[in-house]
Amino acid sequence: DTLSDRSISAVADLIKSGRAKRIVVMTGAGISTAAGIPDFRSPKTGLYHNLARLDLPHPEAVFEIDFFRNNPRPFYVLAKELYPGNFHPTISHAFVALLAKRKLLRMLFTQNIDCLERAAGVPPELIVEAHGSFATQRCIDCKNPFPDAEMRKCVESASAPNCFHKGCGGLVKPDIVFFGEQLPSTFFDNATVPQEADLVIVAGTSLMVHPFAGLPRLARDSVPRVLFNMERVGDFGTRADDVLCLGECDDGIRKLADDLGWRDELEKMWVD
Ligand code: OAD
């Protein structure tokens, strides 16, 4: 086995010994809940359990392109709550930025659309935003981009903007990936990166949505995989070097930072 035991301190030893320097991180909504952004599937607090007021046929419809075409309003009600700018990154985001600073981050794959990885200081070229982000937007028909400032206004008033291009007038949608849409090319361009990892860290995701959910499995068998999550997910626990750190991811990350001797640096990066 690569690890002395299935513990966070063994993971810290691996990193400290210099045997993990191509770390691949995979994240989801759970790393942003401490920032005040709800996740999707947690009972009671998750977005999908709180969409009844939007009168949807089923919760996921809010992210379905065919539904959006006929009724964009529920998405824009949600967008107003999720729009970046009002939130501060968490300790877990800062930890990924610290890995990058120490040249240990091979790549971050995130499903999140909140842009908090960039806000925390993870270099953009090391982030694969697998489900897109709110950073840009375009018309769903003619695909022409739509200006940021206009978008911000529309999101603030929870109203769906229409394309400015003459003769089009199609609906405008942020470049986040809806069900029924292709993932961005950067996801596929980097699809073999998890095979290069010498350590995989997964945090805050239910691993319910494919193809993202298949990424942790791409790690080579001998490569340790660490899960920071409220619950066990995916196939975690089936490999000899899987480490499960169940609970608040920020708590687990702080423990790892303590064991690495990086805690002060991490807390400093987080407040800066
Ligand atoms: P989910 O809501 O499906 O899963 C979040 C996971 O994080 C759950 O397993 C929670 O238990 C866990 N969690 C929540 N808060 C946590 C905390 N503070 N510490 C540790 N764990 C915590 O979110 P995702 O897996 O990101 O797609 O969802 C995947 C995709 O489904 C999203 O990208 C979104 C959604 O439909 C699109 O928007 C296209």
Side-chain angles (χ1 to χ4, degrees), residues 23-45:
I23 303 176
V24 175
V25 182
M26 300 157 187
T27 59
I31 71 158
S32 292
T33 52
I37 305 172
D39 68 5
F40 297 92
R41 295 179 181 80
S42 281
K44 298 200 179 93
T45 55

Side-chain angles (χ1 to χ4, degrees), residues 65 68-69 72 75-76 133 135-148 150-151 160-176 178 181:
I65 194 69
F68 178 83
R69 224 171 250 287
F75 169 76
Y76 275 94
S133 84
T136 55
Q137 52 282 319
R138 69 197 64 246
C139 170
I140 62 170
D141 292 327
C142 74
K143 313 288 181 205
N144 273 301
F146 185 81
D148 294 349
E150 296 297 327
M151 186 68 191
N162 288 98
C163 178
F164 288 159
H165 279 260
K166 229 183 157 63
C168 180
L171 279 167
V172 172
K173 174 181 95 42
D175 290 333
I176 65 180
F178 275 32
E181 289 188 313

Side-chain angles (χ1 to χ4, degrees), residues 24-207:
V24 175
V25 182
M26 300 157 187
T27 59
I31 71 158
S32 292
T33 52
I37 305 172
D39 68 5
F40 297 92
R41 295 179 181 80
S42 281
K44 298 200 179 93
T45 55
L47 278 173
Y48 289 154
H49 297 267
N50 290 294
L51 290 174
R53 66 202 161 92
L54 295 181
D55 206 14
L56 298 161
H58 50 270
E60 284 90 347
V62 74
F63 292 120
E64 282 168 12
I65 194 69
D66 292 336
F67 182 84
F68 178 83
R69 224 171 250 287
N70 295 319
N71 183 8
R73 173 89 185 157
F75 169 76
Y76 275 94
V77 171
L78 204 64
K80 189 177 172 179
E81 287 175 40
L82 297 179
Y83 208 60
N86 309 319
F87 304 103
H88 192 274
T90 66
I91 268 288
S92 297
H93 292 101
F95 184 77
V96 184
L98 182 52
L99 287 177
K101 188 178 161 210
R102 290 182 167 257
K103 306 263 180 285
L104 298 173
L105 181 68
R106 175 65 184 85
M107 195 69 78
L108 165 65
F109 291 85
T110 181
Q111 298 164 92
N112 298 346
I113 52 179
D114 53 32
C115 301
L116 288 184
E117 305 83 1
R118 304 184 206 190
V122 182
E125 65 275 15
L126 293 182
I127 308 174
V128 173
E129 287 172 330
H131 294 167
S133 84
F134 274 109
T136 55
Q137 52 282 319
R138 69 197 64 246
C139 170
I140 62 170
D141 292 327
C142 74
K143 313 288 181 205
N144 273 301
F146 185 81
D148 294 349
E150 296 297 327
M151 186 68 191
R152 188 162 288 275
K153 277 188 223 156
C154 288
V155 169
E156 268 158 25
S157 60
S159 57
N162 288 98
C163 178
F164 288 159
H165 279 260
K166 229 183 157 63
C168 180
L171 279 167
V172 172
K173 174 181 95 42
D175 290 333
I176 65 180
V177 178
F178 275 32
F179 293 111
E181 289 188 313
Q182 270 283 7
L183 271 60
S185 58
T186 54
F187 179 84
F188 300 102
D189 295 345
N190 290 291
T192 60
V193 168
Q195 297 165 16
E196 296 170 27
D198 45 24
L199 174 65
V200 167
I201 295 176
V202 175
T205 173
S206 61
L207 292 180

